[in-house]
Amino acid sequence: MYRSFNLLRVIAISILLSSCAVVREGEVGVVRTLGKYRDTPLTQGVKVFNPLTSTVVKVSTQTENMEVELNLPSKEGLNIRAEISILYHLEGKLAPDVLRRIGPDFERAVILPVFRSAVADVSARYFAKDMHTGQRAIIEEAIKEQMETNLEGRGISIETVLVKSIQLPNNLARAIEEKLEAEQQSFRMEFILSQARQQAEQRRIEAEGIRDAQLIIAEGLTPAVLRYKSIEAFLQLAQSPNAKIIVSDGDLPVMITEEGNLTAASR
């Protein structure tokens, strides 16, 4: 009797557990009864259903990352090897419609084909070198917008498209590197020339200052000033205790020292 009771309790617990589903945070549950999905999704928590006729299909609504490696056609007809990440999420309220119209494998059934079509269409508008420069962000945004247009109303939201790596043909990659190096050399030479021009301008300004100063001095050295400076100098020499003779023609004095040397002031 006791064994029968335990057996019945185990069976009851098993039935109870099999009729419960736990919907976690970041996902929704969709009840499927006799092959038909219900329209209202289940939110997080413990949900009870009839395990004999129904099942609960859980679908993630978190951000998913799908990575794809493929060849991108360029405008000039080259094939560029690229690795691209697609960040997307499922809209929870539309999960029943996604399962009903697409099925649980919606990545392979819808997202991947739509992505391949969008990326081929967008990349064909750009040259290969554009995918390796600042145009990459524009290309990513264009792919995202085209995917959003093609997936509109399907319950799948594209968050962003990221071009993670680009492998250009060897000849093209080398040509781009040489061009970038030439541009850097050009910028460096322009900087050197700019410095040389600045130094030349500085020397020119200094020379003009010296010239202006000399002109000012020359304009101020009048005969009267020269005579005054000569008299002033001889007055200072006259204070010396050494014997000297000062001879003047009335215009410019000449001094004869004890050694017989002549000293005269310049005009």
Side-chain angles (χ1 to χ4, degrees), residues 14-241:
S14 299
I15 294 174
L16 180 63
L17 292 176
S18 63
S19 62
C20 295
V22 178
V23 180
R24 296 178 175 83
E25 188 177 5
E27 64 182 12
V28 295
V30 181
V31 179
R32 184 178 183 180
T33 303
L34 299 176
K36 184 178 180 180
Y37 290 104
R38 295 183 185 178
D39 294 332
T40 304
L42 303 176
T43 56
Q44 64 184 40
V46 179
K47 309 299 177 182
V48 180
F49 63 97
N50 184 356
L52 299 178
T53 59
S54 303
T55 57
V56 176
V57 180
K58 300 177 186 179
V59 182
S60 174
T61 57
Q62 296 178 330
T63 298
E64 302 292 337
N65 178 20
M66 184 172 67
E67 296 187 351
V68 184
E69 292 186 5
L70 75 169
N71 291 324
L72 303 180
S74 65
K75 190 173 183 179
E76 64 265 56
L78 298 175
N79 286 325
I80 312 302
R81 191 67 180 173
E83 182 181 351
I84 302 177
S85 288
I86 307 165
L87 301 182
Y88 73 93
H89 68 268
L90 189 71
E91 298 178 15
K93 62 181 180 180
L94 296 179
D97 192 47
V98 172
L99 293 175
R100 190 181 296 116
R101 296 171 57 187
I102 304 174
D105 192 12
F106 46 82
E107 272 195 0
R108 182 187 59 82
V110 172
I111 298 179
L112 186 58
V114 168
F115 164 73
R116 290 185 179 277
S117 174
V119 74
D121 181 58
V122 172
S123 63
R125 307 173 197 166
Y126 295 88
F127 292 104
K129 63 181 180 63
D130 297 332
M131 304 178 191
H132 200 263
T133 58
Q135 297 289 329
R136 178 183 296 189
I138 299 175
I139 296 173
E140 292 172 344
E141 185 62 24
I143 295 173
K144 174 180 176 291
E145 291 177 355
Q146 187 153 336
M147 289 187 68
E148 287 176 336
T149 300
N150 295 336
L151 292 173
E152 185 176 2
R154 291 180 176 266
I156 301 171
S157 179
I158 303 298
E159 298 179 7
T160 187
V161 175
L162 301 173
V163 180
K164 297 174 61 177
S165 65
I166 292 289
Q167 296 181 4
L168 299 176
N170 293 333
N171 293 338
L172 180 59
R174 185 165 55 254
I176 292 176
E177 290 177 357
E178 291 176 353
K179 179 183 177 182
L180 293 176
E181 184 178 355
E183 290 177 352
Q184 292 298 323
Q185 291 178 350
S186 176
F187 291 148
R188 185 163 53 250
M189 182 58 65
E190 180 63 28
F191 176 74
I192 294 173
L193 292 175
S194 176
Q195 281 190 322
R197 285 193 292 267
Q198 291 177 359
Q199 293 174 356
E201 180 67 14
Q202 182 179 0
R203 289 194 293 269
R204 185 186 66 80
I205 293 174
E206 292 175 353
E208 288 182 352
I210 295 173
R211 181 199 63 189
D212 294 341
Q214 291 176 345
L215 289 176
I216 293 172
I217 294 173
E219 291 175 355
L221 294 177
T222 62
V225 172
L226 291 174
R227 284 195 299 272
Y228 173 76
K229 291 295 183 181
S230 298
I231 294 171
E232 188 179 53
F234 279 102
L235 286 174
Q236 292 178 356
L237 291 172
Q239 296 175 2
S240 173

